[in-house]
Amino acid sequence: MTAHALAGALADDVRRRVFAAITLGATGTAQIADRAGLPARQVVTALRRLTAAGLVVDAGGEFTVDEARLRELARTPQPIRPVASPEEAVLRTFVRDGVLVGLPAQRSRRRIVLEHIAQRSFTPATPYPESAVNDALRPWCADGGSDHVTLRRYLVDELLLTREQGVYRRP
């Protein structure tokens, strides 16, 4: 996890409140919900995301902050790379380590991300059955930024993939 991903994990108000409750000593789901002033359902979702991000450790229903991981992140220098183009800036924002962290709402930016994915996942004019398309798109969705079905639909809508009789091709 990068410092940028850490900031992203704590960018949501609910996750931040849950993290703060754990930091202040709450350990169980009910206790965290009470201290954070949130419904249990929201707390469970936030705990799942915080645990997946590596910020919180679940020891049989007892949640604690992974302090060693936080120290490691604080000490890991992040190289600063100059932005070569506006397209690279968009890709840097929405694609990290070959994984889609979110789809832009703005169509022009979404198109940049989708073109990047199509170029790296599919060979032009090669026929792909739907299962192969799904398999190629799943790794892009590993971080939960989107799902492969939505991604496939956007690729078809933007004409970056064509579909005819259940066979997909990159034009």
Side-chain angles (χ1 to χ4, degrees):
M1 172 184 279
T2 64
H4 192 70
L6 170 66
L10 294 174
D12 178 67
D13 183 51
V14 171
R15 287 191 300 261
R16 203 170 37 254
R17 288 169 64 182
V18 168
F19 185 78
I22 296 168
T23 301
L24 294 172
T27 58
T29 306
Q31 190 179 26
I32 294 168
D34 184 51
R35 289 228 182 128
L38 295 167
R41 182 179 178 147
Q42 285 183 325
V43 170
V44 169
T45 302
L47 286 170
R48 194 174 315 120
R49 297 291 282 300
L50 290 169
T51 302
L55 298 174
V56 172
V57 177
D58 179 5
E62 296 282 317
F63 295 92
T64 58
V65 173
D66 190 346
E67 294 176 18
R69 180 86 167 125
L70 287 174
R71 271 191 229 97
E72 174 189 327
L73 287 170
R75 291 183 181 134
T76 305
Q78 297 299 316
I80 297 173
R81 300 177 300 176
V83 176
S85 67
E87 290 81 13
E88 187 178 322
V90 170
L91 292 173
R92 220 189 258 182
T93 302
F94 295 99
V95 178
R96 289 196 202 99
D97 300 322
V99 177
L100 186 64
V101 294
L103 271 174
Q106 187 178 21
R107 185 178 180 268
S108 60
R109 290 181 178 184
R110 186 172 54 239
R111 174 80 185 196
I112 291 167
V113 172
L114 293 171
E115 285 174 354
H116 174 81
I117 292 170
Q119 289 171 358
R120 280 155 184 75
S121 302
F122 305 104
T123 305
T126 302
Y128 295 94
E130 188 168 299
S131 61
V133 173
N134 291 341
D135 291 343
L137 295 178
R138 275 191 189 99
W140 290 99
C141 304
D143 204 26
S146 187
D147 64 276
H148 69 280
V149 176
T150 301
L151 202 51
R152 185 183 69 220
R153 186 186 75 235
Y154 275 127
L155 288 167
V156 171
D157 289 349
E158 291 291 335
L159 303 176
L160 296 169
L161 283 181
T162 61
R163 179 176 181 220
E164 187 175 315
Q165 298 178 352
V167 177
Y168 294 79
R169 285 185 173 80
R170 183 177 143 218

